[in-house]
Amino acid sequence: EDGEKLKAGGSLSPEDAQAAIKKAMTESPKFKETFNEIPVFMIAQMRMMKQAAEGDDADPTQLLPMYFSLQNMVGTWQQFTAQDPNATGVEPAINLMDLHELVSKMQEECEIDFRNVLLIPPVPMGQAGPESTSVSVEEVDPTAQMGGETLGDL
């Protein structure tokens, strides 16, 4: 109901905002524990393409980026919508799940293939906010930072 009020052009008073926060904290079925619940954020419409290795004739693989930071995900979405004229006005479907839930979804058949995800660690935003922070697939290659062929090489 608060979201509908904002969509209609209204604004939330500080009292309404406090009531919404209290409601979310007390009635939420998830993230009530003080430990061992790791939130993972995703936007259902956002996908990345992983190109096949050089010399490999396989088709590119579609990956679902998942973020440990809501701010990084929103910043990336804003950059994407600013660059793609077809994405203007598209409202993102933001989803939140626990990391343990993600791992269990990777092991079962599902509408969304959770086996092809890219977990993106939190990236400090630029001093001027998300607009000054540039994130692209080419710049963020987690495997390039590993240093070796196997985990034993680290």
Side-chain angles (χ1 to χ4, degrees), residues 1-17:
E1 67 192 48
D2 297 325
E4 296 301 320
K5 184 177 177 181
L6 287 173
K7 281 185 183 179
S11 63
L12 283 177
S13 68
E15 294 80 21
D16 290 340

Side-chain angles (χ1 to χ4, degrees), residues 1 12 14 16 26 32 43 49 64-65 70 77 81 84 87 99 124:
E1 67 192 48
L12 283 177
D16 290 340
T26 57
K32 289 185 172 185
I43 295 179
M49 295 303 290
L64 173 63
L70 178 62
W77 177 257
T81 56
D84 186 357
L99 184 59

Side-chain angles (χ1 to χ4, degrees), residues 47-49 65 67 72 75-76 79-80 83 118 120 123 133-142 145:
R47 293 291 188 278
M48 301 168 91
M49 295 303 290
Y67 296 79
N72 290 147
T76 304
Q79 288 178 1
F80 168 71
Q83 294 172 359
L118 178 63
I120 301 177
V123 177
T133 304
S134 175
V135 179
S136 70
V137 180
E138 293 80 27
E139 293 174 5
V140 181
D141 182 6
Q145 300 169 358

Side-chain angles (χ1 to χ4, degrees), residues 5-147:
K5 184 177 177 181
L6 287 173
K7 281 185 183 179
S11 63
L12 283 177
S13 68
E15 294 80 21
D16 290 340
Q18 287 294 335
I21 291 170
K22 185 175 181 181
K23 179 180 176 183
M25 289 175 59
T26 57
E27 297 179 18
S28 174
K30 295 182 183 179
F31 304 105
K32 289 185 172 185
E33 304 298 322
T34 57
F35 65 96
N36 211 21
E37 289 185 318
I38 302 165
V40 181
F41 302 92
M42 69 176 221
I43 295 179
Q45 300 100 318
M46 201 163 28
R47 293 291 188 278
M48 301 168 91
M49 295 303 290
K50 177 183 176 189
Q51 297 301 321
E54 208 171 297
D56 190 0
D57 293 336
D59 291 332
T61 306
Q62 194 176 59
L63 300 173
L64 173 63
M66 300 189 84
Y67 296 79
F68 290 107
S69 167
L70 178 62
Q71 291 84 1
N72 290 147
M73 182 186 70
V74 170
T76 304
W77 177 257
Q78 289 171 339
Q79 288 178 1
F80 168 71
T81 56
Q83 294 172 359
D84 186 357
N86 297 330
T88 305
V90 173
E91 191 164 322
I94 297 175
N95 295 303
L96 169 65
M97 70 174 62
D98 183 282
L99 184 59
H100 296 290
E101 183 182 352
L102 171 62
V103 171
S104 67
K105 285 186 179 284
M106 287 177 169
Q107 299 171 13
E108 62 189 41
E109 289 294 321
C110 192
E111 184 178 313
I112 298 174
D113 187 5
F114 286 101
R115 294 169 297 174
N116 288 323
V117 300
L118 178 63
L119 291 173
I120 301 177
V123 177
M125 295 301 220
Q127 294 295 329
E131 300 80 28
S132 68
T133 304
S134 175
V135 179
S136 70
V137 180
E138 293 80 27
E139 293 174 5
V140 181
D141 182 6
T143 58
Q145 300 169 358
M146 289 185 179

